[in-house]
Amino acid sequence: MALVVQKFGGTSVADAQKIVAAARKAVARHKGGDKVVVVVSAMGHQTDVLVDLAKQITERPSAREMDMLLSTGEQVSVALFAMAIQSLGEEAVSLTGAQIGIRTDSTHTKARIKSISTDHIMKLLDDGRIVIAAGFQGIDQHGNITTLGRGGSDTTAVALAAVLRADVCEIYTDVEGVYTTDPRILPAARRLPSISYDEMLELASLGAGVMHPRSIEFAKKFGVPVLVRSSFKDVPGTLIVAADRATSRPVSGVALAKDEARITLEGVPDQPGSNHKLFSPLASSGIAVDMIVQNLAQQGLADISFTVPADDLAQALDVTRAVAKKLGATGVSHDDSMAKVSVVGVGMAREEGVAGKMFLALSREGINVRMITTSEIKISVLIDRADAAKAVKAAHAAFELEQPEVDTAESSGTAAPPTKSSPLDVVRRLEGMEDLAVEDCQLDSSQALVTFTDLPDTPGVAADVFEEIGRHKLFVDMIVQSHPRGGRAELSFTVPAVDRDRAIEVAGRIAKARGATVANVPNVAKLSITGVGIRSHAGVADRLFAPLGEAGVNVDLVSTSEVRLNVVVAAEQGKQSLEVLRKAFGL
Ligand code: ADP
Ligand code: ASP
Ligand code: MG
């Protein structure tokens, strides 16, 4: 007998017929002898309707009342779902988040789960009932209703699967699984038979709306196998698991975050600690910052650029302007018509030239790349929003993602059944289930940092540079391109220290041909913090800037992903920085 959590999204319960059809799936499972917990979203676009209603009353509804309002959507659907099951002759009980005992913090409209009690649900399941749980909602320590953020029912489902030690969490939705990119943007996208937690975390957090990113944090932390599949067709879906099949591809998928904004703090006096002074108040405002890029200081002044979701722009600008004054920066600029396109794949760490291929594909479409950041398993570029669909298409085609993948477990007919994997050790030490989980901090002191200043800001420059780098078989690790100013951009990347001399020679030639300059090429150390929830928890980068600043360490490059935060510092400060960071993160 298995324990299964089934989650039905809004479109899957959009009307009475669909609710009954979904209920049949739960009933069939129950009749097969399994214990079944169902998590349901609000019907259709009901949550949007409620948000719109609130906006008709006031532009700034209080967050507490928003949660009270939005939680009603799920309360309607669980009751109807339970009735549907009862009408099919089985016993069912619907429960709100509070009735289940989903305890959250008090961050209304984006609350994080602290704990879930299982006794009540287990008893109901043992009594032969099907339990219908309201998605997306919880209760804080003062008894206030909270919600987990838009799309949060996925997170309720996987969190319940984690605490109930379910054998699988099935996510029923309006597509057949996780695709190489959003099939609505690109019909040529293909369903992936399976995908690793790390890749799914990246894709979801970089914009692939099919799963709420925080649900995958739970899946990874607690080792829950997740199966994403269609509500409407009985076809195989996508299994999200710890270790993916060996993939031959460097890139598994392309994600688009369509509504991004870029902010640049211009002319900041270059001294350790300025990053902290900027990112600390942003974190306190709950703003999750991505793509942090700092230019080399010129005449003692540096620029710091970063991206935020366009919805957070107004608030982020207020904070940044206040910081600019305090730091004596020369100005603040911003652009709210940006989009972020990312390619994600665990295979890219093994292969040379992946970044070059992506930049070339974009350049062939005449798309100008405004900023670049990379981590071990993703490359993100910031581009004009008007180019977004074109860029997704170009990146998808460049990595031949419309072609079926050979050699997968499914295509060879040996798809393994989902197995529960062991949870991260660090989870046992967490106070709240959704707390940031930092596993380790590693030091790699064998890199050299190449920086071009004054590269012309025209489409194709990055493609050009990395084509040449690739031709000389230089293995590039981190890449960062700053937001261009005055028509000139700055591009930095790291190479193995043993290749430093060759890199200097190649970079010199590249710079000469393009009227750019190569800064001196220092030996550097890369420090990597690994864990889960690194980007989604606002302020992780800041927890690192503060102690490094205090220790007098200047950070040259930063890159964030959901599972990793990398910083590059001078090689001679590597060991000291490692100690500082281990202490800062209690490792
Ligand atoms: P639900 O209401 O069931 O939670 P969502 O609308 O939240 O459904 O998520 C499903 C949608 O996610 C799909 O209709 C699709 O347009 C979008 N999507 C974005 N990226 C992807 C992807 N990589 N694979 C599949 N679907 C995606
Ligand atoms: N009903 C909520 C929303 O629309 C939660 C969810 O569907 O996951 O965002
Ligand atoms: Mg959803």
Side-chain angles (χ1 to χ4, degrees), residues 1 26 38 45 74 81 102 136 195 205 246 263 306 308 322 385 442 445 464 467 508 535:
M1 183 200 281
V38 177
H45 296 288
E74 272 70 12
F81 206 106
I102 299 186
F136 168 64
I195 188 168
S205 111
I263 300 181
F306 56 95
V308 294
R385 190 169 303 141
Q442 291 136 4
S445 318
D464 229 23
E467 205 191 342
R535 190 176 23 223

Side-chain angles (χ1 to χ4, degrees), residues 48-75:
D48 294 328
V49 171
L50 294 172
V51 169
D52 188 56
L53 257 178
K55 288 260 158 77
Q56 289 179 38
I57 305 268
T58 162
E59 256 312 301
R60 288 174 182 253
S62 87
R64 183 191 182 278
E65 299 314 323
M66 252 347 246
D67 280 352
M68 181 64 100
L69 177 70
L70 297 192
S71 67
T72 62
E74 272 70 12
Q75 198 168 333

Side-chain angles (χ1 to χ4, degrees), residues 7 9-10 41 151-154 173 209-212:
K7 179 253 170 180
S41 289
S153 292
D154 296 330
T173 184
V210 61
M211 290 297 293
H212 196 231

Side-chain angles (χ1 to χ4, degrees), residues 110 282-283 285-290 306-309 312 535-539:
K110 40 185 165 185
L282 284 168
S285 313
I287 299 171
V289 168
D290 193 30
F306 56 95
T307 59
V308 294
D312 290 337
R535 190 176 23 223
S536 72
H537 283 82

Side-chain angles (χ1 to χ4, degrees), residues 226-456:
V226 177
L227 180 62
V228 183
R229 56 186 309 191
S230 166
S231 264
F232 310 119
K233 288 190 207 163
D234 193 14
V235 288
T238 300
L239 195 57
I240 310 172
V241 277
D244 194 17
R245 79 250 176 249
T247 167
S248 50
R249 287 181 166 179
V251 168
S252 296
V254 182
L256 168 65
K258 204 167 58 27
D259 298 311
E260 292 286 291
R262 185 264 314 157
I263 300 181
T264 303
L265 183 58
E266 296 176 345
V268 194
D270 183 39
Q271 43 194 237
S274 34
N275 273 316
H276 169 59
K277 289 188 185 116
L278 173 62
F279 293 114
S280 170
L282 284 168
S284 314
S285 313
I287 299 171
V289 168
D290 193 30
M291 294 187 84
I292 301 171
V293 176
Q294 180 171 344
N295 288 32
L296 265 193
Q298 313 245 7
Q299 285 100 40
L301 298 180
D303 287 355
I304 306 174
S305 299
F306 56 95
T307 59
V308 294
D311 278 349
D312 290 337
L313 175 66
Q315 205 189 350
L317 268 179
D318 286 349
V319 174
T320 310
R321 288 191 178 121
V323 172
K325 248 194 203 148
K326 267 194 217 147
L327 289 179
T330 57
V332 174
S333 71
H334 71 277
D335 190 333
D336 65 356
S337 61
M338 299 275 112
K340 178 170 66 188
V341 173
S342 309
V343 296
V344 172
V346 287
M348 71 172 65
R350 293 190 300 266
E351 202 167 307
E352 283 170 48
V354 178
K357 203 178 214 179
M358 164 137 177
F359 304 148
L360 184 62
L362 298 175
S363 120
R364 286 202 172 129
E365 293 296 321
I367 297 168
N368 207 0
V369 173
R370 308 285 176 182
M371 270 165 69
I372 304 171
T373 56
T374 68
S375 83
E376 282 69 4
I377 65 164
K378 70 109 204 256
I379 301 162
S380 293
V381 296
L382 193 70
I383 56 171
D384 294 340
R385 190 169 303 141
D387 290 330
K390 211 163 54 165
V392 168
K393 197 169 169 195
H396 197 268
F399 295 101
E400 296 175 2
L401 296 179
E402 69 290 346
Q403 301 295 334
E405 207 181 347
V406 280
D407 236 350
T408 64
E410 189 183 87
S411 59
S412 60
T414 54
T419 47
K420 278 189 261 190
S421 45
S422 60
L424 294 182
D425 268 352
V426 65
V427 169
R428 294 189 195 102
R429 301 198 299 266
L430 297 182
E431 235 175 77
M433 287 183 80
E434 246 193 296
D435 288 356
L436 168 73
V438 172
E439 277 178 276
D440 200 5
C441 180
Q442 291 136 4
L443 170 68
D444 168 3
S445 318
S446 61
Q447 299 209 7
L449 174 64
V450 180
T451 301
F452 293 106
T453 54
D454 296 336
L455 272 175

Side-chain angles (χ1 to χ4, degrees), residues 482-567:
S482 69
H483 162 65
R485 255 229 277 167
R488 315 297 280 181
E490 193 174 291
L491 178 65
S492 303
F493 58 91
T494 61
V495 292
V498 290
D499 293 334
R500 181 170 174 267
D501 291 344
R502 210 151 50 85
I504 293 175
E505 192 192 312
V506 176
R509 247 180 288 144
I510 294 174
K512 200 165 167 205
R514 288 158 190 85
T517 321
V518 188
N520 70 339
V521 178
N523 283 314
V524 290
K526 179 171 90 169
L527 294 130
S528 305
I529 309 263
T530 53
V532 181
I534 287 181
R535 190 176 23 223
S536 72
H537 283 82
V540 183
D542 183 55
R543 272 173 63 186
L544 169 154
F545 289 134
L548 286 178
E550 271 161 35
V553 175
N554 223 341
V555 173
D556 288 329
L557 299 183
V558 191
S559 78
T560 55
S561 74
E562 272 305 309
V563 290
R564 213 179 244 271
L565 177 68
N566 294 321
V567 290

